Amino acid sequence: MTTKDERRLIQQAREGDLDAFEALVRLHQRMVYGLALSLTRSHHDAEEIAQTVFLKTWRGLKTFRWEASLSTWLYRLTRNACTDHLRQNRKRSGDRSLEDPGLASLADQAPLPQEIAEQRERQQALMAAMEKLPEESRAVLLLREVDGLSYQEIAQTLGLSQGTVKSRLSRARRALRESLLADGNLLAESPSNHKEGGMAP
């Protein structure tokens, strides 16, 4: 399906067309379910999260901002839903006490406000560069660098061969590096310039 076709379906779904929305669900359900499964390691939880994500998508389509692709939006919704789900599970299992000495030690290691601001600027530059990537490249890069999935897991999540995953990842890293360099957000000698380097600037 072309980007133009998908935008047409999105517009129709925004106007209440259930058939158009079902077509969007069929188009993206493998990615949503696969990502949820990779993060929760539970088929039951992945199915539940996928249903939640598409329900939120249906309710939120009217506020969908066209500057991001639908797959990017769904990816964020799915990751957030998984985070909420895992957090709730931890609460049911019992959180560590706030008086735990280990937590106090972590507080002492907290970054300074200036460091937080600098990190936020780097993340914003990184996300802006990510948005410039083709959808297929962005998905592979996020699953590898952000979620830490193996090539095999990415291949299963996106329904691709491992060879395709590796080639798309290589192209995505190169394009991202060039974009960050062009915008002055990455030093030429950065370790991420290496073939297997990470994507953070």
Side-chain angles (χ1 to χ4, degrees), residues 59-199:
R59 292 174 175 173
L61 267 180
K62 290 185 178 179
T63 61
F64 174 69
R65 294 182 298 177
W66 293 98
E67 60 264 25
S69 66
L70 182 62
S71 63
T72 299
W73 189 41
L74 286 172
Y75 180 90
R76 291 170 181 167
L77 286 176
T78 305
R79 286 200 66 208
N80 290 340
C82 289
T83 299
D84 291 342
H85 177 80
L86 294 172
R87 185 182 296 118
Q88 290 170 4
N89 282 350
R90 283 197 297 270
K91 287 183 178 179
R92 285 193 291 267
S93 301
D95 289 337
R96 296 168 66 185
S97 169
L98 293 177
E99 298 178 358
D100 189 323
L103 294 180
S105 176
L106 289 176
D108 292 338
Q109 301 172 13
L112 298 174
Q114 181 179 353
E115 294 174 335
I116 294 175
E118 292 174 351
Q119 183 179 22
R120 184 180 298 115
E121 289 180 1
R122 289 195 296 270
Q123 290 297 325
Q124 289 175 346
L126 180 60
M127 291 310 298
M130 289 284 289
E131 288 294 338
K132 297 177 183 178
L133 295 176
E135 180 180 323
E136 59 183 26
S137 298
R138 183 166 57 246
V140 171
L141 192 61
L142 287 170
L143 290 173
R144 177 65 176 175
E145 302 290 3
V146 177
D147 293 313
L149 270 62
S150 67
Y151 295 128
Q152 181 179 2
E153 289 171 328
I154 297 173
Q156 292 174 346
T157 298
L158 300 179
L160 303 171
S161 68
Q162 290 191 50
T164 299
V165 168
K166 291 179 181 179
S167 62
R168 287 187 181 181
L169 183 60
S170 177
R171 290 196 301 269
R173 282 173 171 162
R174 183 168 58 252
L176 183 66
R177 183 168 61 246
E178 291 173 354
S179 178
L180 290 169
L181 281 169
D183 293 337
N185 291 308
L186 183 68
L187 296 177
E189 64 272 21
S190 169
S192 64
N193 283 348
H194 297 304
K195 183 176 182 181
E196 294 300 323
M199 73 173 188

Side-chain angles (χ1 to χ4, degrees), residues 11-70:
Q11 185 58 47
Q12 291 173 344
R14 283 162 62 101
E15 296 170 357
D17 188 331
L18 284 174
D19 289 337
F21 182 70
E22 289 177 1
L24 291 172
V25 171
R26 289 194 297 271
L27 183 64
H28 295 284
Q29 61 184 357
R30 176 180 291 184
M31 184 272 289
V32 170
Y33 174 80
L35 177 58
L37 179 61
S38 71
L39 295 177
T40 64
R41 306 296 180 183
S42 165
H43 290 283
H44 174 76
D45 291 346
E47 290 176 357
E48 183 177 314
I49 287 170
Q51 292 176 2
T52 299
V53 167
F54 285 118
L55 179 59
K56 289 183 177 180
T57 302
W58 172 251
R59 292 174 175 173
L61 267 180
K62 290 185 178 179
T63 61
F64 174 69
R65 294 182 298 177
W66 293 98
E67 60 264 25
S69 66
L70 182 62

